[in-house]
Amino acid sequence: MTVVVLLGAPGAGKGTQAPILAACLKVPILASGELLRSVVASGSELGRQVQATMLSGELVDDDTIVRTFLDRLRGPDASKGAILDGFPRTRGQAVALDDALAEHSARVDRAILIHVPLDELVTRMAGRLICQASGHVYNLQSNPPQQPDRCDIDGSPLVHRADDGEVTVRARMAQQMPPLEEVVEYYRSRGVLATIDGRLPIPEVTTQLLNAVDVPAESRQPG
Ligand code: AP5
């Protein structure tokens, strides 16, 4: 079982890089933000509470996200491992993850921090577009789609995320950086942390990421 955790501030590039890494390692991506957006889309009372929390820029409470995420991690497609995008985000979540993996004699193999200074992140989020069908990620400045309002991959409409407005982005940074730093320290102390410069162009970030998990050259996708 290969478990890789992608860490980084909102907008650092986790969702951009996760599909490339997942394809190389042949494991699924488990993205906590996507899981929570599907809870919101269900229209349940829990979904309404989660939506309010996400729009406020705060983290969803540990009980809810740990239950939701670990249920997903137990899915049959993740039996050989997974790329974890956005989880854990607190020390409590990191401990819960270790406990769950220990039941299968597994552990987090690598935690990779994609580091980007905060000022650059606010600009990035303003230019982000995602596709409605599958969440493919674009950026008006650094990674534009071929047509302005359509996904290159599946042709679905491109939209701004509800929590990408500047006020919410700044709130996300303020609320979420301190617990992220605790998680970074947690993995540093376990000797599995690698840090990558997320200001580099997207293909160079990819190369550093694949180096950090020792993906051999023959397993890397062209381009
Ligand atoms: P989530 O959906 O996980 O959002 P996030 O972590 O805030 O991360 P983002 O998806 O915003 O950014 P990213 O790092 O994936 O960057 P991207 O690749 O898109 O979470 C949403 C909310 O759910 C949270 O705020 C919280 O409320 C809740 N939540 C989620 N997980 C939780 C948890 N575990 N516990 C509690 N609550 C939780 O890139 C951003 C932009 O930059 C794109 O436009 C992209 O094209 C561009 N870009 C990417 N790389 C580069 C580069 N190298 N150079 C230039 N531009 C780049």
Side-chain angles (χ1 to χ4, degrees):
M1 191 172 191
T2 305
V3 178
V4 177
V5 170
L6 291 184
L7 301 171
K14 305 179 295 294
T16 299
Q17 299 293 338
I20 305 167
L21 194 54
C24 288
L25 297 179
K26 299 186 172 50
V27 294
I29 304 164
L30 308 188
S32 53
E34 290 302 317
L35 283 175
L36 290 170
R37 280 185 280 281
S38 64
V39 173
V40 170
S42 73
S44 64
E45 177 51 33
L46 177 63
R48 280 189 283 280
Q49 290 167 15
V50 166
Q51 183 176 37
T53 304
M54 290 171 80
L55 288 175
S56 74
E58 291 181 24
L59 290 174
V60 171
D61 66 277
D62 274 4
D63 281 353
T64 300
I65 186 64
V66 165
R67 196 176 55 246
T68 307
F69 197 90
L70 294 185
D71 273 357
R72 178 67 188 86
L73 185 62
R74 291 185 189 104
D77 61 330
S79 62
K80 295 209 166 85
I83 308 299
L84 275 45
D85 168 0
F87 183 94
R89 265 199 172 70
T90 65
R91 194 175 189 287
Q93 292 176 22
V95 171
L97 174 62
D98 277 354
D99 290 348
L101 291 173
E103 288 170 19
H104 302 276
S105 306
R107 50 170 282 183
V108 170
D109 298 284
R110 210 79 169 115
I112 305 174
L113 172 65
I114 305 178
H115 180 259
V116 180
L118 292 187
D119 287 348
E120 184 164 335
L121 292 171
V122 178
T123 313
R124 269 194 197 183
M125 310 285 257
R128 172 163 62 180
L129 293 170
I130 57 166
C131 93
Q132 256 176 349
S134 313
H136 298 121
V137 185
Y138 297 88
N139 191 280
L140 291 170
Q141 285 80 39
S142 59
N143 184 25
Q146 285 165 14
Q147 296 179 54
D149 56 355
R150 293 278 148 190
C151 177
D152 295 351
I153 298 166
D154 58 32
S156 71
L158 296 178
V159 294
H160 286 283
R161 249 173 59 177
D163 56 351
D164 271 355
E166 185 173 340
V167 172
T168 306
V169 167
R170 289 197 183 276
R172 285 161 72 190
M173 301 296 174
Q175 302 283 339
Q176 299 183 20
M177 291 310 289
L180 172 66
E181 279 157 21
E182 285 186 18
V183 175
V184 168
E185 283 313 311
Y186 182 86
Y187 288 120
R188 197 193 309 279
S189 70
R190 277 156 182 72
V192 295
L193 182 75
T195 301
I196 284 177
D197 183 353
R199 290 168 301 181
L200 294 169
I202 291 170
E204 290 178 37
V205 176
T206 303
T207 301
Q208 286 203 13
L209 201 60
L210 299 180
N211 290 344
V213 290
D214 297 325
V215 173
E218 59 273 18
S219 303
R220 298 186 183 195
Q221 313 278 318

